Amino acid sequence: MEQQLKALQTEALQKIEAADNLKDLNDIRVAYLGKKGPVTEILKGMGKLSAEERPKMGALGNEVRGAIASSIEAKQTVLEQAEIQKQLENETIDVTLPGRSVKTGCQHPLTRVVEEIEDLFISMGYTVAEGPEVEKDYYNFEALNLPKGHPARDMQDSFYITEDILMRTHTSPVQARTMEKHKGQGPVKIICPGKVYRRDNDDATHSHQFTQIEGLVIDENISMGDLKGTLEVFAKKMFGEDREIRLRPSFFPFTEPSVEVDVSCMFCGGEGCNICKGTGWIEILGAGMVHPNVLEMAGFDSKKYTGFAFGMGPERIAMLKYGIDDIRHFYTNDVRFLKQFSVHQ
Ligand code: FA5
């Protein structure tokens, strides 16, 4: 029995030594130290021993169990340490590796120009007004001195939804709505940025959906001089301090007199080039003094109040500012185009 117990101890210690993971070690613990393990089995034969031998064998049995248990415990510590070490090695961060750069987006060039124009007018005391893109014929045309059947409606081919509702063809209906809200009381000083829709054929300078920014000022004693001064500040701010503007007579049913506003060519400085078609001037917007009929329809006394209004296409402004040759670049979202306007290239 003594030999059996010692052989068992040797065998168990060898297996413990060979175990290279905690699961195998636990299996050895269950196999050798469990209630029905071999030490217990061997000690069952103690009944056949003399009274003298029995306590000796009992003590030896405990000794073998103790040796196996402490060997398992020691090995467990070693294996646990190894496991922690392995985990630490796997989680090691190499701080010398180059970082991964985060790709940031950038503001769309059109948004940038719209916000720049907004900021300029806000700094001159204007507030920003908005209106619906699906608009009533009344605000888009009638309240702007364009009754049904007026030939000037052909200037803006429209997408009609019903006979009285259409996609707005310009941002001027926001003028009409704002004036109506003011109930004949000045002053009014707003700009209205927003999307507009026209049945124009798409080409390098036209789109069926584009952006406009409208400006409207109504107060006592507002004159054409105020309009010209305001637009001069705008042109210099957008295109450079050397720029000049000129007004050419034009026609809009909602303004009288009406003008087209040109800026001196920013590409040739006014000398004449292929962009300004040799004239030295580039058209940037339409404007005029608010027609008395429009003031009266919105409830303003046209003898007391006068006003000016203007409307521009920020796509065309951005094209001139950044030398963009096709309006469709704004809408196709080609990353190669957009990336050129990133501040973190
Ligand atoms: C108007 O829409 C008037 N409502 C502007 C106005 C407001 C005049 C207040 C007087 C007082 P016009 O149709 O010219 O005007 O358009 C204004 C600007 O929109 C043009 O100068 C141009 O820059 C831009 N625009 C017009 N049609 C298109 C188009 N199809 N695609 C891109 N931009 C366009």
Side-chain angles (χ1 to χ4, degrees):
M1 186 175 285
E2 185 179 341
Q3 269 172 5
Q4 267 181 310
L5 284 170
K6 286 197 170 150
L8 192 70
Q9 179 175 342
T10 312
E11 179 193 293
L13 295 185
Q14 274 169 358
K15 284 192 181 165
I16 293 166
E17 178 62 34
D20 61 359
N21 63 68
L22 288 166
K23 185 185 172 304
D24 287 356
L25 189 66
N26 197 43
D27 289 346
I28 295 167
R29 182 201 318 275
V30 173
Y32 285 91
L33 301 179
K35 272 191 188 149
K36 293 178 184 158
V39 182
T40 318
E41 281 304 309
I42 293 168
L43 293 180
K44 271 184 190 165
M46 279 209 304
K48 293 177 195 144
L49 297 177
S50 64
E52 216 172 86
E53 285 283 302
R54 238 180 270 155
K56 269 210 232 149
M57 282 308 120
L60 182 61
N62 285 340
E63 219 174 87
V64 170
R65 263 211 201 95
I68 294 172
S70 55
S71 172
I72 287 176
E73 213 169 293
K75 184 73 185 206
Q76 183 163 346
T77 312
V78 171
L79 289 177
E80 277 172 355
Q81 284 297 337
E83 205 138 288
I84 290 169
Q85 190 58 33
K86 201 165 130 196
Q87 202 174 340
L88 286 175
E89 273 160 23
N90 286 343
E91 287 173 5
T92 305
I93 297 167
D94 182 353
V95 290
T96 64
L97 279 176
R100 280 183 210 122
S101 63
V102 179
K103 288 204 177 356
T104 50
C106 62
Q107 203 174 29
H108 194 283
L110 184 56
T111 311
R112 198 197 272 194
V113 167
V114 170
E115 286 188 3
E116 197 178 328
I117 297 171
E118 279 177 9
D119 287 347
L120 171 63
F121 282 100
I122 288 169
S123 76
M124 295 197 278
Y126 288 66
T127 53
V128 176
E130 286 183 339
E133 287 171 30
V134 179
E135 184 55 283
K136 289 186 174 154
D137 181 278
Y138 175 77
Y139 291 110
N140 196 82
F141 289 131
E142 282 180 52
L144 296 171
N145 206 25
L146 273 147
K148 281 202 163 77
H150 193 292
R153 285 189 175 211
D154 290 349
M155 288 163 77
Q156 301 177 3
D157 260 350
S158 322
F159 290 112
Y160 273 92
I161 291 167
T162 67
E163 212 171 293
D164 289 316
I165 296 177
L166 74 162
M167 301 306 290
R168 67 179 177 192
T169 54
H170 50 175
T171 41
S172 303
V174 187
Q175 273 192 39
R177 285 176 174 274
T178 309
M179 280 193 261
E180 195 181 75
K181 265 194 222 141
H182 274 257
K183 296 191 166 56
Q185 287 306 307
V188 179
K189 207 171 175 189
I190 52 157
I191 50 157
C192 335
K195 290 196 196 86
V196 302
Y197 305 82
R198 285 187 197 176
R199 291 185 53 168
D200 283 345
N201 290 328
D202 291 359
D203 61 23
T205 52
H206 292 83
S207 172
H208 59 281
Q209 178 200 306
F210 58 102
T211 318
Q212 279 194 344
I213 299 181
E214 189 87 3
L216 171 70
V217 173
I218 299 175
D219 208 345
E220 294 176 32
N221 302 318
I222 295 293
S223 72
M224 200 78 176
D226 297 312
L227 171 64
K228 190 171 183 210
T230 304
L231 294 178
E232 212 159 59
V233 171
F234 164 74
K236 285 180 188 293
K237 179 84 178 136
M238 291 309 284
F239 301 112
E241 284 303 314
D242 300 341
R243 300 277 67 77
E244 284 169 30
I245 61 163
R246 74 172 184 188
L247 310 186
R248 277 181 296 114
S250 184
F251 171 75
F252 295 103
F254 30 92
T255 47
E256 181 57 38
S258 301
V259 290
E260 293 288 352
V261 180
D262 297 341
V263 62
S264 56
C265 180
M266 56 292 290
F267 299 100
C268 62
E271 296 286 302
C273 65
N274 60 348
I275 297 175
C276 61
K277 299 193 180 86
T279 64
W281 296 94
I282 295 180
E283 184 186 311
I284 52 164
L285 54 86
M289 298 304 292
V290 181
H291 197 293
N293 286 357
V294 173
L295 287 168
E296 295 287 344
M297 261 189 284
F300 279 84
D301 178 354
S302 64
K303 296 211 171 53
K304 183 176 175 198
Y305 287 110
T306 50
F308 67 74
F310 56 86
M312 67 181 92
E315 279 93 339
R316 301 252 180 100
I317 304 279
M319 286 167 83
L320 293 172
K321 197 169 161 66
Y322 296 120
I324 297 165
D325 61 357
D326 195 316
I327 197 168
R328 288 166 288 200
H329 286 309
F330 291 115
Y331 316 118
T332 44
N333 286 331
D334 184 331
V335 178
R336 289 169 301 178
F337 168 73
L338 298 175
K339 248 172 40 184
Q340 296 172 50
F341 301 90
S342 169
V343 280
H344 323 275
Q345 277 181 40

